Amino acid sequence: MNSSRFLTDFSPELILLVGACLTLLVGLRRGSPSRAWESAMGLLVILAALFAAVALGLPKAAEPALGLWPTPLTFYVRGITLLVGTLLVLVGWHQPAAEERGEYVAMLLFSLLGVLLTASANDWVVLFFTIELVSVPTYVLIALSRLDPRASEASVKYFFLGALAAAILAYGLSFLYGATGTTTIHQAASEGVISSLPAGRMLSGTALIGLLLTFAGLAFKIAAVPFHVYAPDVYEGAASPITGLLGFVPKFAGFVALVKLLAACQWELPREVLWVLWSVAAVTMTAGNVVALLQTNVKRMLAYSSIAHTGYMLVALLVGPTSGEGPMRDGVVALLFYIAVYAIMNLGVFAFLTGLRIGQRDAETLDDIAGVAARAPAATLGMAVCAFSLMGLPPTAGFLGKLYVFSSAFSVPASHDFHGPLLALAILGVVNSAIGAAYYLRIVAVAYMGKEVEPAAPAGGAPVRIGLTLCTLPVLLIFAWPTGLMLHARQASTAVRDSITAGRTRVTTVQPWDAGGPSPLRADSGGEPRPRTRAGGTAAATPVARDAHDTTRAQP
Amino acid sequence: MMTIGLTHYLVLGAVFFCAGLFTMMTKRNAIGILIGVELVLNSANINLVAFDRYLGPGRLDGQITAAFVIVLAAAEAALAVGICINLYKNLATVDVDMAAQLRG
């Protein structure tokens, strides 16, 4: 890809990058504390990037590029991230109130940039770094978000666990590199993370360790059990707009990365790995919903709700794109649709919390929002719509999201070797949605019928109200007219399915893996024989590999 | 004499990984925990360089990746110090056990 083509293809990302750097500079200016120039600037940058993304349209089906490769999945991710990004800036318009707003908006833009690049990443290294580009600004955002000591505690917890997850991810990806001999994802897909082994054969130890560790690293980003422990504390400690961001940005990036990882495995995981993911999904949604019932702090409650929603999304991820086309069958469509809807409805509730202040503190417990409907009827109505959507009731987008996720699991063909467990998982998901309804209803009931403890005053002004409105309306509109979002999700999923098919064809054309020999040689793209070992674990293979290596080196 | 092969390097990486995890779990000082994270990141580096040496001679994918990971580790250390100073300003300590307001 030549450089001018690269500049055009990645103009939304470049706009975000330049905009974030400029916002940092503008933020250095001393001025009156009530100004919100940086927020306005952030909004402009995101809208400009969105305009560029729409103007670019669907990326042309080109040859796989190394490093960054725009696909229709990129287009979908760009659109959703930037649209939700505008809402995030609106909801956090006056946050933080101190001098740090320039850094705050810049970090928000960097984080969004990370999500956009994750969707284009075609190399494990690039993927690792884009995931880090998503996470690292969020550590800063939490610390900056408010002066409360709880925010600094939350940032410490999130940072250390996040850094550990990143390190585990790097360790896992190093094993995937060892198993495939390449860092390029589409080559890994054909060179066999798993795929070059015929079905039923044991997975090489290296690839298995790599896969499980990579899942562990990404499970932290999507807040799946057992890597969810940070979520309640961090959600409670951070200011409400940032909590809304944490429910979307790292989760979206994590799921996009998981889709890429599973596509590289051609959605054919060995049974053991499938069972691990199955248990993670089952425990994640159940634990999230049950513990949420016990909470009195709305932010903690929504943290557990976010964990539960991760569980639902994992169901769709397990189904994958291979069982059929269309929203009712294709798991990836359901996943992409669900995560977009979840981002909006979740942010709606946090926008409601941002718009309320109790004396000098932010509204966050059930007592704080008790009886608030009398004082802020419009905002409470907006929150109620979003809460009903989180519950999954019609006529909201959340209902459609749940419908697609569970119907994709129900329509898995009986020939699928994981048919029964997926069915059980979908039933568990439906039961969980019913449990979940209890605590969302509690929020709505307390806001409408609770007795006011301390009077709540409106806060945040017009931007927050606009933000809440813009969260509420799509929730209703997507229910009435889901085809727009669905069309793009289907295009993205088709691209994923095509990449899987392409990977399969490449597998059949390359020389099949000689299972008997310890280090089969395979012709590399450079024409030079490249020695490979099965798994690093077998000591017998090692000297052979080294000998082969030395002979290769001896060649001129 | 025993020759050193790929497996030895992988075992070394695994030892680093476990040592890093152990450090993270036992240290109470924020800087100590950071050292644990660095150990885990370096276990990935050892793996990358070892796989590169034994599996893909002539290509430098693994070594370049390791160089990138080192850069990331440096960036993360800088951020960690910032976050620790922020914690110190609020609590006058970097003992993470003292940061325990968030529970439930």
Side-chain angles (χ1 to χ4, degrees):
Chain A
M1 192 189 297
N2 60 40
S3 56
S4 68
R5 175 78 192 287
F6 182 87
L7 289 180
T8 328
D9 278 355
F10 290 97
S11 51
E13 283 84 354
L14 289 168
I15 290 172
L16 275 185
L17 177 65
V18 174
C21 295
L22 286 179
T23 319
L24 266 181
L25 287 179
V26 172
L28 292 175
R29 195 174 61 90
R30 291 269 172 271
S32 71
S34 64
R35 79 219 142 92
W37 291 112
E38 290 86 359
S39 301
M41 200 172 155
L43 192 64
L44 274 179
V45 170
I46 294 179
L47 288 177
L50 186 63
F51 178 77
V54 172
L56 271 179
L58 274 183
K60 309 275 180 303
E63 281 293 294
L66 299 177
L68 288 172
W69 180 27
T71 63
L73 179 65
T74 313
F75 180 70
Y76 183 82
V77 172
R78 276 177 184 161
I80 298 300
T81 310
L82 294 171
L83 282 173
V84 178
T86 56
L87 298 178
L88 287 170
V89 173
L90 282 173
V91 173
W93 194 266
H94 290 294
Q95 209 98 14
E99 291 275 300
E100 286 111 6
R101 205 176 293 132
E103 287 89 331
Y104 175 88
V105 175
M107 289 302 149
L108 179 72
L109 294 177
F110 278 127
S111 203
L112 295 177
L113 171 65
V115 184
L116 262 56
L117 288 174
T118 306
S120 306
N122 190 28
D123 191 293
W124 298 124
V125 189
V126 177
L127 190 76
F128 173 64
F129 273 83
T130 54
I131 293 276
E132 282 309 285
L133 184 56
V134 173
S135 315
V136 170
T138 57
Y139 310 141
V140 183
L141 279 174
I142 295 170
L144 283 180
S145 68
R146 54 178 177 172
L147 296 171
D148 196 317
R150 286 182 299 170
S152 80
E153 181 185 335
S155 74
V156 168
K157 285 182 174 170
Y158 194 50
F159 172 76
F160 281 116
L161 288 172
L164 174 65
I168 292 178
L169 183 63
Y171 192 57
L173 291 178
S174 76
F175 276 108
L176 286 185
Y177 167 64
T180 56
T182 175
T183 56
T184 308
I185 295 178
H186 78 270
Q187 283 173 3
S190 52
E191 296 220 3
V193 171
I194 299 184
S195 52
S196 58
L197 295 178
R201 199 98 67 79
M202 273 296 288
L203 179 63
S204 85
T206 319
L208 186 65
I209 296 171
L211 265 182
L212 288 177
L213 285 169
T214 310
F215 279 135
L218 291 174
F220 174 87
K221 303 294 172 209
I222 62 172
V225 172
F227 300 95
H228 69 292
V229 282
Y230 70 92
D233 288 356
V234 171
Y235 275 47
E236 188 188 337
S240 296
I242 289 310
T243 316
L245 177 139
L246 289 177
F248 167 65
V249 169
K251 224 188 255 289
F252 198 20
F255 270 108
V256 169
L258 279 173
V259 165
K260 280 178 179 284
L261 179 67
L262 285 176
C265 305
Q266 309 188 340
W267 244 277
E268 280 174 9
L269 296 173
R271 263 190 110 70
E272 315 87 74
V273 179
L274 276 178
W275 275 113
V276 169
L277 283 182
W278 187 93
S279 335
V280 167
V283 177
T284 301
M285 58 179 141
T286 314
N289 275 319
V290 171
V291 183
L293 289 172
L294 310 172
Q295 303 301 319
T296 53
N297 184 311
V298 180
K299 282 160 87 179
R300 284 191 91 84
M301 197 183 271
L302 288 170
Y304 284 107
S305 134
S306 149
I307 295 167
H309 283 275
T310 294
Y312 305 143
M313 293 177 213
L314 279 172
V315 177
L317 186 79
L318 268 171
V319 174
T322 47
S323 61
E325 285 191 43
M328 307 296 267
R329 306 176 72 83
D330 187 333
V332 171
V333 172
L335 172 68
L336 291 174
F337 185 89
Y338 196 97
I339 199 156
V341 168
Y342 172 74
I344 299 169
M345 59 198 186
N346 189 46
L347 187 60
V349 183
F350 285 112
F352 164 76
L353 288 179
T354 311
L356 291 175
R357 276 186 86 77
I358 317 293
Q360 288 304 306
R361 34 184 206 95
D362 305 321
E364 51 187 51
T365 63
L366 281 174
D367 284 348
D368 291 344
I369 62 163
V372 84
R375 290 180 180 274
T380 315
L381 182 67
M383 182 275 285
V385 169
C386 292
F388 279 118
S389 184
L390 283 165
M391 238 181 275
L393 292 184
T396 58
F399 168 73
L400 284 184
K402 283 213 171 68
L403 178 72
Y404 294 149
V405 164
F406 296 134
S407 73
S408 74
F410 279 126
S411 64
V412 166
S415 55
H416 193 292
D417 63 344
F418 212 58
H419 170 74
L422 278 178
L423 225 56
L425 199 58
I427 293 168
L428 186 66
V430 174
V431 173
N432 260 302
S433 308
I435 302 175
Y439 58 88
Y440 296 123
L441 271 178
R442 196 162 148 220
I443 300 179
V444 177
V446 163
Y448 272 99
M449 291 176 286
K451 200 157 166 295
E452 196 170 69
V453 180
E454 264 182 278
V464 176
R465 284 200 296 277
I466 296 171
L468 177 54
T469 317
L470 288 181
C471 289
T472 312
L473 288 180
V475 165
L476 297 169
L477 286 177
I478 291 172
F479 178 79
W481 190 66
T483 29
L485 185 58
M486 183 54 68
L487 179 75
H488 293 300
R490 283 182 74 162
Q491 281 166 342
S493 171
T494 310
V496 173
R497 194 179 307 116
D498 289 348
S499 77
I500 294 173
T501 327
R504 280 202 184 126
T505 11
R506 275 200 295 271
V507 170
T508 51
T509 53
V510 297
Q511 188 185 339
W513 194 325
D514 176 17
S519 81
L521 299 178
R522 186 188 293 176
D524 195 9
S525 51
E528 213 175 51
R530 199 173 84 223
R532 295 172 55 113
T533 52
R534 249 339 257 291
T538 50
T542 312
V544 184
R546 207 194 58 248
D547 293 348
H549 169 218
D550 290 343
T551 51
T552 318
R553 273 251 292 241
Q555 288 172 359
Chain B
M1 205 184 98
M2 192 177 70
T3 43
I4 304 292
L6 176 60
T7 318
H8 298 91
Y9 286 106
L10 295 186
V11 169
L12 180 68
V15 169
F16 266 55
F17 183 80
C18 296
L21 279 186
F22 182 76
T23 311
M24 284 198 76
M25 278 186 279
T26 50
K27 288 282 176 190
R28 297 293 85 191
N29 185 303
I31 303 297
I33 298 176
L34 179 69
I35 293 171
V37 174
E38 300 291 321
L39 273 176
V40 178
L41 275 171
N42 279 325
S43 70
N45 284 342
I46 292 175
N47 268 8
L48 286 167
V49 175
F51 279 129
D52 185 273
R53 168 74 170 74
Y54 286 96
L55 299 185
R59 300 169 67 173
L60 291 170
D61 290 359
Q63 297 200 25
I64 293 170
T65 309
F68 274 115
V69 173
I70 292 170
V71 174
L72 175 94
E76 254 180 0
L79 184 60
V81 171
I83 285 177
C84 291
I85 290 175
N86 190 29
L87 184 75
Y88 186 81
K89 267 164 56 186
N90 279 308
L91 299 177
T93 174
V94 288
D95 183 343
V96 289
D97 276 354
M98 294 297 133
Q101 285 188 49
L102 298 165
R103 286 182 183 284

